[in-house]
């Protein structure tokens, strides 16, 4: 219902680092992540904040479905630049689009179904249809879904939570 963090000056990297600090999250691995993972991480922290998602469900009952338009191209371009001198193994790991889902699953202990789709633009119908299919499973009780995209200084993120059980929120 309100602004959690706002900073209109500086780069995307500055915004994400300051956002982490404003949320008072101690997670050293954040600084090793690529920009797509960092953006997804911050959005998930805001979505899960005070929600106790993993306290309500077992790890296998929570699914994660994400999408974007540029896959891991932002990191791929950075990695390509490092190949001109000394290729960075730390960046190479992040040249897979689904690494952001892996980072979120590790952080929150999610062990249910997960998927990452690449669409030309946000496709609410496709995402909704897939989430409905995932939620139809007897073992899935909650699903975090949405859009996480980074290319250069352009970024966009939108995550939402779907649950079978109605909660007070």
């Amino acid at each position: 219902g309100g602004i959690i963090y706002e900073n209109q000056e500086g780069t995307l990297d500055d915004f994400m680092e300051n956002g982490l600090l404003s949320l008072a999250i101690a997670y050293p691995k954040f600084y090793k992540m690529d920009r797509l993972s960092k953006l997804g991480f911050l959005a998930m922290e805001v979505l899960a904040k005070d929600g106790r998602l993993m306290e309500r469900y077992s790890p296998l009952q929570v699914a994660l479905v994400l999408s974007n338009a540029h896959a891991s191209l932002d990191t791929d371009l950075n990695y390509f630049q490092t190949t001109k001198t000394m290729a960075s193994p730390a960046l190479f790991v992040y040249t897979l689009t689904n690494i952001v889902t892996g980072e979120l699953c590790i952080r929150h202990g999610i062990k249910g179904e997960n998927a990452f789709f690449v669409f030309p633009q946000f496709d609410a119908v496709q995402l909704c249809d897939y989430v409905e299919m995932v939620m139809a499973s007897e073992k899935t009780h909650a699903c975090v879904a949405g859009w996480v995209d980074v290319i250069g200084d352009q970024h966009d993120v939108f995550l939402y939570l779907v649950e079978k059980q109605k909660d007070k929120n």
Side-chain angles (χ1 to χ4, degrees), residues 3-124:
I3 295 173
I4 294 172
Y5 171 72
E6 182 177 28
N7 182 353
Q8 297 178 1
E9 297 177 16
T11 66
L12 172 60
D13 295 316
D14 295 336
F15 174 81
M16 291 189 293
E17 187 171 335
N18 291 330
L20 181 75
L21 295 173
S22 78
L23 293 171
I25 299 167
Y27 196 69
K29 191 176 178 185
F30 178 85
Y31 297 98
K32 295 179 182 180
M33 293 179 192
D34 73 328
R35 293 156 30 109
L36 183 66
S37 296
K38 286 179 180 180
L39 191 61
F41 178 93
L42 290 172
M44 182 70 168
E45 291 300 308
V46 171
L47 180 66
K49 187 174 173 36
D50 301 328
R52 296 178 178 78
L53 177 66
M54 298 314 292
E55 290 176 15
R56 295 194 313 259
Y57 303 106
S58 76
L60 290 170
Q61 292 177 318
V62 181
L64 179 63
V65 180
L66 301 177
S67 61
N68 76 10
H70 294 99
S72 59
L73 185 58
D74 187 69
T75 303
D76 297 346
L77 294 171
N78 290 332
Y79 175 73
F80 179 71
Q81 289 302 316
T82 70
T83 64
K84 294 178 181 178
T85 55
M86 176 67 83
S88 169
L91 273 178
F92 179 73
V93 170
Y94 289 94
T95 59
L96 299 170
T97 305
N98 66 341
I99 207 74
V100 65
T101 59
E103 292 287 2
L104 298 181
C105 288
I106 291 167
R107 165 73 172 162
H108 294 278
I110 297 170
K111 294 183 180 177
E113 177 159 349
N114 66 73
F116 198 108
F117 298 102
V118 180
F119 301 128
Q121 67 266 343
F122 180 68
D123 189 337

Side-chain angles (χ1 to χ4, degrees), residues 153-168:
D153 287 332
Q154 298 175 354
H155 61 282
D156 191 20
V157 62
F158 167 73
L159 297 183
Y160 62 97
L161 173 64
V162 177
E163 296 178 90
K164 284 183 180 174
Q165 181 178 344
K166 188 173 180 178
D167 191 13
K168 63 181 177 183

